[in-house]
Amino acid sequence: MATPNDSTYPIENAYSKNADDIAKLLDTNLQTGLQEGTIDERIKKYGLNSYAEQKQKSIWLILFEQFKSPIILLLVVAAGFSFFFQDWIEGFAIIGVIFITAALGFFMELQARNSMKALKEMDISVSKVWRDNALKEIPSERIVPGDVLVLEAGDMVLADARAVEVNQFEIDESALTGESLPVEKNIEIIEKDVSLADKINLIFKGTSVVKGNARAIVTGTGLHTELGKITRLVETAKQDDTPLEKKLRGLTKIL
C-alpha cells in the first residue's frame, strides 16, 4: 500500500482548532464515531497506523562493519608485526583491544536496532474507539484519522489526537518531550504557536496515560504522528563520520 504524503492530511495545527471543526474536516461524529464501512477507504487514503518496514542488516554484516574502521585495520597490521617479531604479549594485547572495540560497536548498533523494533511492536496493540455508536477494541494499525479514542489510566496512546473530553487526565510524555512530570491535558484552544510540550490539548502516540480518562479525535497516524516523524528521520538519516572519526582516518593514513 502506498504511503500517503503530508498533503493528504487535512488537519494542520490541530491545537488551534476546536474539536467540532476537526470533526467536520474529518467527517466524523464525536459521539458515535466513524462508520465501520468507511474504515477501509480511509486506510487507502491515509495508510495503516504503522511504520514502513525497513530492510534490516544481517547480524553478520553488522559484525563485519565493525572491522572496516581504518584504525582497526592499523591495529591489525600492528598486531601482525608484533607476532612477526615474536612479541606475543603485545600482539595478543592488540588483538584484545580490537575485539573489545568491535564488540562495543556491535552491541551498540544492535541495541539501536532493537529499539526501532520495539517501536514497531507497539503498533500491534489494541485501542478502544467509538465506531457505529459502540465502544470497540481494534488493532492499533487500523486506527484512522477521525476515530474517537477512549483513553484511561494505564493505556498507551497509539495515535496523535486532539482532546475532546478530559477528566483529571494526565499523560507521561517523557519519552517524547523529555518532560519528567505527567502533563495535565485540557480541551482549550491554543491560539499561538507553541512548543510540542506546551500543546496541552493534544495527545501524542508513544505516551502513556497515568491518571483520569478522556475522549480524543485522531488527527495523525503512522509516520504522520510526532513519534512517526522522529522514526522517519532516524531511519533515513545518513551516517556521516564524526569529526573524531575523520581525524582518526587522517592519522591512520599518516601512520
Side-chain angles (χ1 to χ4, degrees):
M1 180 179 296
T3 302
N5 57 41
D6 293 334
S7 63
T8 64
Y9 269 73
I11 303 301
E12 292 183 1
N13 303 325
Y15 60 89
S16 64
K17 298 179 174 64
N18 66 46
D20 289 331
D21 288 341
I22 294 174
K24 289 179 182 178
L25 287 170
L26 292 173
D27 193 22
T28 188
N29 187 302
L30 294 177
Q31 302 304 317
T32 62
L34 293 172
Q35 297 295 314
E36 194 68 50
T38 67
I39 300 305
D40 287 338
E41 182 181 345
R42 287 180 183 247
I43 289 176
K44 288 180 181 178
K45 182 176 181 181
Y46 299 115
L48 289 169
N49 182 31
S50 59
Y51 303 131
E53 191 69 30
Q54 299 290 321
K55 186 177 180 180
Q56 298 287 346
K57 296 179 183 177
S58 70
I59 297 295
W60 296 110
L61 180 58
I62 294 175
L63 183 60
F64 172 74
E65 288 182 343
Q66 307 310 311
F67 295 94
K68 291 171 61 178
S69 167
I71 198 69
I72 293 294
L73 297 178
L74 180 64
L75 288 173
V76 170
V77 173
F81 276 111
S82 296
F83 290 129
F84 179 79
F85 291 109
Q86 298 185 352
D87 193 344
W88 308 112
I89 295 178
E90 183 174 310
F92 283 117
I94 294 173
I95 293 296
V97 169
I98 291 172
F99 279 102
I100 290 172
T101 303
L104 287 174
F106 173 77
F107 285 111
M108 287 178 65
E109 187 163 347
L110 201 62
Q111 186 177 26
R113 191 172 79 164
N114 289 338
S115 296
M116 295 303 299
K117 182 179 179 182
L119 285 175
K120 292 180 174 64
E121 288 177 348
M122 184 189 299
D123 291 343
I124 64 175
S125 305
V126 296
S127 295
K128 296 187 288 290
V129 302
W130 279 96
R131 285 185 182 172
D132 294 330
N133 199 24
L135 187 60
K136 300 181 179 181
E137 287 192 350
I138 63 166
S140 63
E141 67 172 13
R142 290 187 62 81
I143 294 175
V144 294
D147 264 325
V148 178
L149 290 176
V150 176
L151 299 164
E152 55 189 11
D155 288 346
M156 179 68 74
V157 182
L158 298 170
D160 283 5
R162 168 68 158 86
V164 175
E165 297 175 6
V166 295
N167 179 28
Q168 297 182 338
F169 189 63
E170 295 184 5
I171 283 187
D172 178 3
E173 295 183 343
S174 57
L176 187 63
T177 66
E179 178 64 47
S180 59
L181 297 175
V183 178
E184 184 173 0
K185 297 292 182 176
N186 62 44
I187 62 173
E188 302 300 323
I189 294 175
I190 302 173
E191 296 183 351
K192 60 181 180 180
D193 189 21
V194 295
S195 67
L196 189 66
D198 292 326
K199 295 175 181 177
I200 56 176
N201 58 10
L202 298 185
I203 301 166
F204 304 109
K205 182 173 183 175
T207 61
S208 56
V209 183
V210 297
K211 181 181 178 182
N213 56 74
R215 288 160 59 104
I217 181 171
V218 174
T219 56
T221 57
L223 291 175
H224 297 275
T225 61
E226 294 298 330
L227 186 62
K229 293 173 185 176
I230 296 173
T231 302
R232 180 163 47 182
L233 288 173
V234 170
E235 291 188 337
T236 59
K238 293 178 63 177
Q239 294 186 350
D240 294 329
D241 291 339
T242 64
L244 177 60
E245 288 173 328
K246 292 177 181 177
K247 290 181 179 180
L248 285 174
R249 183 176 289 106
L251 177 62
T252 301
K253 291 178 180 178
I254 294 172
L255 291 173

